[in-house]
Structure formats: structure tokens, C-alpha cells
Amino acid sequence: MAGRRRRRGAGRAVLAFLTAFGALTGAALVGAAPAGAVQKGVWVAPGVRYEEFDIRAAKGVTHAHVLRVDLGNPRVRVGLLYPGAVAARGRVSAMADSQGAVAGVNGDFFNITETQHPGVEATGASVGPAIAAGRTLKAAVPNGQRFGPALPPGTTTEDVFGVGTDGRARLDRLTLKGSVSTADAQLPLGGLNQYALPVGSVGAFTSEWGSVSRVRATCGTDTDRAAPCSTDTYEVTVRHGRVVSAADTPGTGPIAAGTTVLVGRESGAQQLRKFSTGESVEVEHGLVAAGDGIAYRLAIGGYPVLSGGQPLPGLDDTTSAVRTAVGIAKGGRRVLLLALDGAAAYRSGLTIAEVAGTLRKLGAEDGFSLDGGGSSTLVARKPGASTVSVRNHPSGGAERPVPNGIGVFSG
């Protein structure tokens, strides 16, 4: 089951462009760019433009870096940046260069630490679903297991920003559908390459996961990320459709092609204990879209902040921070990639409500928040360069390794 679901601008000065906007909801774009700032914008590639400018927000002036991406240009596309495995991290600049992207930003929130579970390895895996080049990599963890700020009302870890096979960007929701079948039983599949499985479920891990320990998948609960790890676990390895081994605790190490490792917790573990070596097992899984059924070439997790030109109700309007976000304009034919600067002079950042207002004033109809803080990174090639440069100042002083990002490709 497969994962599913212009014209070139005139290049007028950013000062005039921003002045026309007027006040934002809680944030005003201003033209007082610091010395050295790009005032008119720069073409990174045909259909890909980089700009930077100041925003006067509730907590002070912050500095924005924006990529304007024209998906209507047949030479331009966006895709998932990732380091080759779900449970791995890389610098945005390194991932962009290795995949040939001309620009990009960091992506989803992720399992960054395990201080609540001493001795358990943090996986580095992302929270939400992920699809790369049309291939399903993973599904979403339970809402209570996510890292990042509180979700806005009505949103879930299954929400994604995606680009379909029709070349249009959209927001959607991707739900895991799958099963584990033997001659005697059929079990629902509760997870796919996830750092956290629902209580009482069975999850599947494939070669896409990587080599990191799978123990974290059995820690916490659906509503409490810090809850203790389960003491009732079981793992079964299925190779070419037959059980080849089993263990009482989840293991570690790479998973070979043609192999699926099933991890169960609580009642899921009890079901897996019934499997026997040599038994035939069929594992099926896929991501089902809530939208119009268009298959996705790219999908990445985060959460929506703007829909149909209107900010979502209940957005946080008090907590300011450095942010990364993506906006969708012109019916999915234009994408805006926004990352704030983490330099000390600008670190007050924006609230999520201000992010939604900023995206709207930049022309977005829909908007989606990605990971922020020390993860916020925007890279782009300079004219004539064959590699990207980091254009904002990451707030940690250097690029933070992240699990994925959105890459912009030209030609």
C-alpha cells in the first residue's frame, strides 16, 4: 500500500515589498535591515529566490531568512533531506550538498534526548510521518510522545507538509494502516520505524530505521513521554516472510533488506510470543492520506498554523522563540521556507501566532511549523557556488544535526 494521500517575480526591492504589507498580527515587517543584509533578494537558481529582512515583533526585532520556491517552474522541485536512515541525524548543509540541493531548511521535531529514561539511547528519529522520493520511511508517534511545543487544538502528530506527484504542495494528515498476519491470527500494526509505539501494540522496523537501539520504542505511554519503559516486551525477526529469531528485549544493529523486526509491548508482546521459528508471517504497511488521494513524493511532520489564509484558533501568542516554518501559496505552486536568525541580537524570535501572521503577509494560504530553536537552519548556494552556505545564525553557534529537512532542487 503506497504512501498517499510562475512565473518569475519582478525582483522589486524588499523594502517596497515589505512596506506594502503594513502591520502583521502581532508582528510588523520593517526595512531596517542591518549592514550587509540582502535588500533586493538574490536568485539562487531559476525559480528559487532568497531574501532576508527584519520583523518587529512583540518581544523585539527579529531577522527572517526566506526562500521563495516556484514549483510551477519545471526545473524546480522540493524533496526530503535526510541522512539515509530514520534513526540518524545530519547537518542541513551536509545533507543538502550530498543530495545536490541548491537550498533548504531543517525539518521535523525529533527524539533529541532521553533524560527521563537513564541508559536508553536517544534515537534522533523524527516525530511525524516521512516520505522521501515517494518511499514511505516512517509513521507518526503518539501525540503524548512528541518532542516540541504543545500542539495547537485539533492538530496531531500525523499532520504533514507534502508535495504530491502532481507537483503541488499541500497540508494533509497521514495515518498508518497495516497488519501482521500468520496462519492463525491477524494483528493490527501500531507503528512503523517509530521511536515510540502505542501501549499494547506491535511495531515494524525495516532497513530504513538504521542501526540505533529499538528499546526507546517501548518507553513512555501514549499520554506521558516520561513514563517508565515497559517491562513486558518481545521482539521477533522476520526474514523473507518467515520467523528466524526472537528475543525478550528489543535489539540494536542494522536491519538487512528483506527483513522486518517486529517489536511488541504489553499485549502486543504477548501476541508475538505465540510466533514460532520458521512460521510464515506477512507484514503489510502504508500511510493513508486524509486528503484527495494524490500520492506523495515528499511528506514531513510538524504542525499546521495557517489554513485557507486564516491562523488556526488557539495558537500560542505568548512564547517567542527562533522558528522554522513553511508556507504554501498560489494553490500549492509556490512554497515559502522561513527560518529566523538565532544571533543574539535577534534571538527573541516570534510566537507561533506571529509565525502564522508572517506567513500570511508573505502571501501564504496555508502554513506549517517545523522544528525551531537550535535546529533552525536555512542554507542556500551563493551565486556561482557549487555548495550551500548557512544563511542564518543557528542559535547554538553552529548547525545542530537534525533528522530531516526540506531540500530545494533545480534542474
Side-chain angles (χ1 to χ4, degrees), residues 164-183:
T165 54
D166 60 353
R168 291 180 181 267
R170 51 177 59 79
L171 302 187
D172 207 339
R173 188 167 289 179
L174 296 178
T175 302
L176 176 66
K177 298 292 183 184
S179 62
V180 178
S181 302
T182 68

Side-chain angles (χ1 to χ4, degrees), residues 95-179:
M95 293 189 291
D97 286 339
S98 68
Q99 294 179 226
V102 300
V105 297
N106 66 288
D108 197 0
F109 302 87
F110 61 98
N111 175 208
I112 190 172
T113 182
E114 279 304 322
T115 54
Q116 305 100 331
H117 306 115
V120 175
E121 182 179 9
T123 67
S126 62
V127 168
I131 295 175
R135 190 175 72 260
T136 297
L137 300 182
K138 67 178 299 290
V141 303
N143 287 348
Q145 289 271 20
R146 68 183 297 275
F147 286 75
L151 288 171
T155 66
T156 83
T157 55
E158 295 178 343
D159 286 304
V160 296
F161 164 81
V163 176
T165 54
D166 60 353
R168 291 180 181 267
R170 51 177 59 79
L171 302 187
D172 207 339
R173 188 167 289 179
L174 296 178
T175 302
L176 176 66
K177 298 292 183 184
S179 62

Side-chain angles (χ1 to χ4, degrees), residues 373-400:
S375 298
S376 285
T377 307
L378 186 146
V379 302
R381 290 185 187 178
K382 294 181 178 179
S386 60
T387 59
V388 300
S389 300
V390 180
R391 297 304 186 97
N392 69 330
H393 296 86
S395 60
E399 282 187 83
R400 171 187 285 170

Side-chain angles (χ1 to χ4, degrees), residues 16 45 87 167 184 190 283 404:
D184 300 319
V283 183
N404 57 30

Side-chain angles (χ1 to χ4, degrees), residues 309-397:
Q310 297 299 316
L312 268 63
L315 294 180
D316 175 39
D317 61 359
T318 59
T319 305
S320 295
V322 177
R323 312 280 185 181
T324 303
V326 55
I328 301 171
K330 303 295 182 182
R333 290 299 190 189
R334 295 266 177 105
V335 169
L336 301 162
L337 300 175
L338 164 73
L340 300 183
D341 206 288
Y346 303 114
R347 205 167 293 164
S348 56
L350 298 175
T351 67
I352 289 299
E354 289 173 332
V355 168
T358 299
L359 291 174
R360 182 177 61 182
K361 289 300 182 182
L362 289 172
E365 298 140 6
D366 300 308
F368 198 72
S369 177
L370 300 169
D371 191 14
S375 298
S376 285
T377 307
L378 186 146
V379 302
R381 290 185 187 178
K382 294 181 178 179
S386 60
T387 59
V388 300
S389 300
V390 180
R391 297 304 186 97
N392 69 330
H393 296 86
S395 60

Side-chain angles (χ1 to χ4, degrees), residues 167-229:
R168 291 180 181 267
R170 51 177 59 79
L171 302 187
D172 207 339
R173 188 167 289 179
L174 296 178
T175 302
L176 176 66
K177 298 292 183 184
S179 62
V180 178
S181 302
T182 68
D184 300 319
Q186 184 177 77
L187 310 175
L189 192 67
L192 174 65
N193 292 329
Q194 298 169 205
Y195 69 78
L197 294 173
V199 172
S201 73
V202 173
F205 291 81
T206 70
S207 58
E208 303 283 11
W209 171 253
S211 59
V212 172
S213 170
R214 298 176 289 275
V215 168
R216 175 59 185 85
T218 61
C219 299
T221 68
D222 300 355
T223 57
D224 183 4
R225 191 181 75 202
C229 298

Side-chain angles (χ1 to χ4, degrees), residues 16-97:
F17 175 70
L18 300 181
T19 301
F21 281 156
L24 290 170
T25 303
L29 302 177
V30 295
V38 175
Q39 300 259 337
K40 295 184 179 181
V42 172
W43 291 103
V44 176
V48 184
R49 188 170 178 81
Y50 165 73
E51 300 169 354
E52 60 176 304
F53 45 82
D54 284 348
I55 300 173
R56 184 178 295 115
K59 300 291 179 66
V61 174
T62 192
H63 197 66
H65 302 257
V66 172
L67 292 166
R68 295 180 177 272
V69 183
D70 182 5
L71 295 182
N73 186 317
R75 297 174 58 87
V76 176
R77 65 180 177 87
V78 295
L80 189 77
L81 299 177
Y82 82 110
V86 168
R89 294 197 285 160
R91 292 177 292 112
V92 175
S93 60
M95 293 189 291
D97 286 339

